[in-house]
Amino acid sequence: MHSRNNEVELNDRLELLYRNSSASFLIMLAAASGVIFWFDSADHPYAKFTWWSAVLVLMLWRLFHSYKWSIKSKKGELGTACDLTRFRIGASLTASLWAFYCIYFYASSDIYELCVSMVIVATLAGGASTVLSGDRFISLLYPQILLIPYSILLTLSGKPELQMLGVLGLLFSCIIFFSALKAAQFTLDSIRLRYQHTQLLKNMKNEVESRTERIIELSQLDSLTKLLNRPAFIEAASQQIKHTHNSHLCVFFIDLDSFKPVNDNFGHHVGDNLLKQLASRLKENFGNKALICRWGGDEFIIMTETTHRKDVDSIAKEINIVIESPFIFDGYKIDMDASIGVSIYPTHSRSLEELISFADVSMYENKHTQKADYVLFSKDLAEKVQRDFSLSSAIRKAVAKKQLKLVYQPIIDTKNGECHAVEALLRWEHNGKAVPPDVFIPLAEKNGAIREIGYWVLENAIQQQHSMMQDGLNIKICINVSIVQFEDPAFVNSVKALIDQYKVDASLFHIEITESVFSSDKPKLLQAIKQLQTLGLFISIDDFGTGYSSLSVIQDLGVNIVKVDRSFVNRLDSNGAAIVKAVMLMANELNYKVVAEGVETPEQEAKLKALGVHYLQGYLFSKPQPYTHLIKQFGPSFQSISNNTLTSAL
């Protein structure tokens, strides 16, 4: 960098020297012609002509090199030390020729010519401080060559008038020396300051460009994968749709399956590396022909132009190949697969928002069915979207319209066949029709209505417990709680407030959580569960074996109940029995109780009892029904445990 600075500084000095000196060459030649042809040359005619010829040749040589410099400068080439040496030689020879003239022709010159000669060299010397200020060396040397020899000669002439002229010349040479020194320093400082200013502007420009690029990157690209982020994709996709007339555009909505376990088992840095590697693969395979976006989390969108249905098939297959190729880094080999939903413009919609929504719906259908490489949006799915939208809007008003109710299903003790607890189950009747919980609960979780509904369930179950206590019954009630409720910071305090309000025993309540809650923020979840247990409530894991839970989670939570999913009960004749047996072995070691769900036949009841399952629940004993109906069926059982508890766990 320092060498570069010196080169630029030298170039600026040379530019100043050549630019200032070009006109002076002609003035120099005119002055030489004047002294030769104006004054009488009878004494030395040939000598003066030879001197003038030398001046002419020198001026032409200097003009030639000045011209070469201008050509070089226009090409943007930097000057060199050779260019400076050449200029110094030309200037020194010019000054020497004039000094020679003054000294050589001194004896034959009259007083008038001697004075004119002094005026000329003094003028040339005075102008040098400005014209030659680009080079301190020549700006100091040039006037001294011009003035000092001639001034000394005049001072030693013995003639008073010439001696005075010589003394003035010497004094003037001193003045010119310091003036030239100051001018050269000022010029050098100006050049350096200008270069610094130029560098500052350049650096500012580079910084502005760099910051602008960074701002664009931050505003348009996902920080992790460097793919388009959501707003940038929407903008780019909208423009592409606007300019698409005779072709089709396909939106591929991609969701990685089982990505969360990668983060849980290997750490978030491995998950981040996997996403970055996947983004690199997608850009490599589709970057030149598609818009690629990280929609969020482990979801991606690719939008590309297609002409035939077979193009959709081939692109979907290519996406699956890209994702299913093993991800290898940091000593890990991770296999992934994905669910893909597809919508087509303009076949399914001309709205980008709807195309993305339709592809999203198709992706979820693919995730639940897993029957093909992808699911293409269809009329049936469109009807499902409309139905879900209608139900999603209606569920928001279900509490206000008093459309919800609780029913209860008994949990039977395998030792004595008595009902010692009930599970509170939510039912919703909309427009005179019962809507299944597995339909409206996910919708309520998605649109946020589950918070209000969840608190309604809690309050009504606790209120029901209060009524039972007034009837002399201490019946444990199991209440399902959504992951969305656990994510609410006020959830635990709200539960405590309801228990205090109705003055019920917290130990009579079981909070049931499904394994899906472990896909959320585990530390916060564990904290909330511990707080609930501190209040005296018991914790059950519902649908055990179908989701995210593990032995480590059960140990961390210190759960009281594990409810085996009905899918294992239905497969007791195959591998279901082995699963239940394993759960019972863990229960004995970890000191929790086991409930088997979905018991529908006496054969299942017998096998589960033989395996040592503590409690059974299912249609074999009772369908979910209102509390008043349940009392009629299991009244004696309720009375027998009015002052008793099942166990410390149930």
Side-chain angles (χ1 to χ4, degrees):
M1 177 61 74
H2 183 70
S3 175
R4 174 67 179 176
N5 292 354
N6 290 339
E7 290 176 1
V8 174
E9 180 185 305
L10 175 60
N11 186 77
D12 287 351
R13 290 168 54 201
L14 287 167
E15 180 73 29
L16 186 63
L17 289 171
Y18 278 105
R19 188 176 68 245
N20 290 344
S21 299
S22 298
S24 68
F25 298 157
L26 299 177
I27 296 174
M28 191 80 66
L29 186 60
S33 300
V35 297
I36 294 299
F37 298 109
W38 184 267
F39 297 105
D40 184 12
S41 302
D43 294 339
H44 305 283
Y46 296 109
K48 285 192 174 184
F49 182 76
T50 301
W51 177 83
W52 179 83
S53 299
V55 171
L56 176 61
V57 171
L58 181 59
M59 292 304 103
L60 291 175
W61 181 80
R62 294 185 69 184
L63 279 171
F64 172 71
H65 284 292
S66 180
Y67 173 74
K68 284 182 64 178
W69 167 260
S70 66
I71 297 300
K72 185 177 182 179
S73 180
K74 288 179 181 178
K75 291 181 179 180
E77 299 177 12
L78 294 178
T80 64
C82 292
D83 295 314
L84 180 60
T85 300
R86 194 177 296 115
F87 185 89
R88 286 175 173 178
I89 291 172
S92 300
L93 288 175
T94 301
S96 298
L97 281 175
W98 277 103
F100 174 81
Y101 175 87
C102 294
I103 294 172
Y104 185 80
F105 296 108
Y106 166 77
S108 60
S109 301
D110 56 22
I111 186 68
Y112 181 64
E113 186 174 352
L114 292 175
C115 289
V116 170
S117 298
M118 176 56 76
V119 170
I120 290 174
V121 295
T123 302
L124 294 176
S129 63
T130 302
V131 174
L132 303 178
S133 62
D135 180 34
R136 178 163 52 186
F137 174 79
I138 198 63
S139 68
L140 296 177
L141 180 64
Y142 182 85
Q144 307 310 313
I145 294 175
L146 285 171
L147 288 172
I148 290 180
Y150 188 36
S151 298
I152 292 174
L153 180 62
L154 292 176
T155 303
L156 299 176
S157 65
K159 297 178 182 181
E161 62 276 15
L162 295 180
Q163 287 178 331
M164 180 170 290
L165 190 61
V167 171
L168 289 175
L170 290 173
L171 291 174
F172 188 61
S173 69
C174 293
I175 295 172
I176 290 299
F177 179 85
F178 290 107
S179 176
L181 186 65
K182 184 180 293 185
Q185 187 61 47
F186 177 79
T187 300
L188 182 60
D189 291 343
S190 298
I191 290 172
R192 289 175 176 173
L193 185 62
R194 186 180 71 171
Y195 178 73
Q196 291 174 1
H197 179 68
T198 302
Q199 285 297 107
L200 179 61
L201 291 177
K202 185 177 180 180
N203 291 339
M204 289 178 64
K205 180 181 178 182
N206 292 339
E207 183 68 18
V208 169
E209 291 176 352
S210 175
R211 288 178 179 271
T212 301
E213 291 176 0
R214 181 61 177 160
I215 290 171
I216 292 174
E217 180 178 322
L218 289 173
S219 64
Q220 296 186 350
L221 300 183
D222 174 64
S223 60
L224 178 65
T225 63
K226 305 307 178 186
L227 298 175
L228 291 175
N229 59 24
R230 186 180 295 198
F233 171 77
I234 291 174
E235 175 65 25
S238 299
Q239 290 299 318
Q240 187 165 351
I241 286 176
K242 187 183 297 184
H243 295 93
T244 297
H245 302 292
N246 300 318
S247 59
H248 292 77
L249 296 173
C250 277
V251 175
F252 293 82
F253 201 108
I254 306 162
D255 181 76
L256 299 181
D257 296 330
S258 303
F259 178 72
K260 184 184 182 302
V262 173
N263 281 333
D264 291 344
N265 296 326
F266 299 102
H268 285 278
H269 71 286
V270 173
D272 289 346
N273 283 332
L274 189 151
L275 292 176
K276 287 192 286 188
Q277 193 173 125
L278 174 58
S280 178
R281 292 182 185 181
L282 293 176
K283 284 190 285 188
E284 182 179 349
N285 284 270
F286 304 102
N288 296 327
K289 55 187 178 182
L291 295 175
I292 310 173
C293 164
R294 183 189 180 197
W295 191 248
D298 59 348
E299 295 178 335
F300 297 83
I301 292 180
I302 296 176
M303 189 172 85
T304 185
E305 188 172 320
T306 56
T307 54
H308 303 288
R309 170 63 187 270
K310 63 181 182 180
D311 293 337
V312 180
D313 295 337
S314 62
I315 293 172
K317 289 181 183 297
E318 189 175 356
I319 293 172
N320 277 306
I321 291 172
V322 165
I323 295 174
E324 291 171 3
S325 299
F327 293 86
I328 302 173
F329 41 79
D330 296 338
Y332 299 110
K333 179 182 177 182
I334 300 174
D335 294 316
M336 295 294 297
D337 54 12
S339 300
I340 303 174
V342 184
S343 61
I344 301 176
Y345 168 90
T347 304
H348 298 135
S349 176
R350 292 181 175 273
S351 163
L352 176 63
E353 183 179 355
E354 288 187 347
L355 288 170
I356 294 173
S357 177
F358 293 163
D360 188 12
V361 169
S362 303
M363 180 274 293
Y364 274 106
E365 183 70 14
N366 186 223
K367 185 180 290 290
H368 294 147
T369 58
Q370 292 293 327
K371 294 178 181 178
D373 289 332
Y374 68 98
V375 169
L376 182 66
F377 188 73
S378 64
K379 182 179 179 181
D380 291 340
L381 282 176
E383 292 175 353
K384 180 179 183 298
V385 170
Q386 293 176 351
R387 182 174 64 253
D388 287 351
F389 180 79
S390 175
L391 291 175
S392 180
S393 299
I395 193 65
R396 292 177 180 273
K397 305 171 184 176
V399 172
K401 291 186 175 182
K402 299 181 179 181
Q403 296 175 337
L404 301 175
K405 66 177 181 179
L406 290 181
V407 293
Y408 300 88
Q409 188 174 37
I411 298 174
I412 305 301
D413 188 340
T414 55
K415 292 181 180 179
N416 53 31
E418 294 181 346
C419 173
H420 291 294
V422 294
E423 180 178 1
L425 299 169
L426 182 63
R427 296 293 181 261
W428 178 37
E429 189 173 288
H430 175 58
N431 291 336
K433 296 181 179 179
V435 182
D438 59 352
V439 172
F440 72 79
I441 292 295
L443 293 176
E445 288 180 332
K446 192 171 183 178
N447 65 23
I450 194 66
R451 293 180 186 272
E452 182 183 10
I453 293 172
Y455 287 124
W456 182 92
V457 170
L458 277 169
E459 182 169 11
N460 277 265
I462 291 173
Q463 192 176 31
Q464 184 67 70
Q465 180 64 256
H466 177 73
S467 298
M468 289 189 290
M469 288 176 62
Q470 290 181 331
D471 294 336
L473 303 175
N474 292 329
I475 303 173
K476 292 182 178 292
I477 299 180
C478 303
I479 306 170
N480 289 283
V481 175
S482 164
I483 180 176
V484 179
Q485 290 174 269
F486 269 106
E487 291 173 346
D488 184 357
F491 173 65
V492 175
N493 289 334
S494 298
V495 173
K496 183 178 184 303
L498 287 172
I499 290 174
D500 292 342
Q501 177 183 347
Y502 289 98
K503 296 180 175 57
V504 294
D505 184 354
S507 64
L508 294 175
F509 294 96
H510 284 257
I511 297 297
E512 290 194 2
I513 55 177
T514 62
E515 297 185 61
S516 64
V517 299
F518 299 109
S519 64
S520 185
D521 189 333
K522 190 178 293 183
K524 289 184 178 179
L525 170 69
L526 294 176
Q527 182 182 10
I529 289 175
K530 291 296 183 185
Q531 289 174 340
L532 290 172
Q533 289 176 322
T534 300
L535 292 177
L537 287 86
F538 294 101
I539 301 297
S540 301
I541 294 182
D542 199 9
D543 302 331
F544 180 77
T546 61
Y548 296 90
S549 65
S550 64
L551 287 176
S552 62
V553 171
I554 294 174
Q555 286 178 311
D556 291 339
L557 293 181
V559 296
N560 309 109
I561 296 291
V562 167
K563 302 185 77 173
V564 178
D565 186 67
R566 66 182 66 247
S567 61
F568 299 116
V569 174
N570 291 335
R571 299 199 304 270
L572 287 175
D573 293 333
S574 55
N575 61 351
I579 298 295
V580 175
K581 187 181 295 185
V583 172
M584 293 307 302
L585 286 173
M586 290 188 296
N588 293 330
E589 291 294 327
L590 299 176
N591 194 31
Y592 59 78
K593 298 299 179 180
V594 177
V595 176
E597 298 180 297
V599 181
E600 297 181 354
T601 66
E603 291 78 13
Q604 291 174 335
E605 178 186 14
K607 289 179 180 179
L608 291 168
K609 285 183 177 180
L611 290 170
V613 175
H614 305 105
Y615 306 106
L616 305 178
Q617 179 181 353
Y619 279 17
L620 176 63
F621 310 104
S622 173
K623 291 183 178 181
Q625 54 187 300
Y627 168 71
T628 52
H629 295 178
L630 204 64
I631 285 292
K632 294 178 181 179
Q633 182 177 353
F634 293 95
S637 294
F638 290 162
Q639 294 293 337
S640 69
I641 61 167
S642 61
N643 293 305
N644 190 19
T645 57
L646 275 154
T647 65
S648 61
L650 182 67

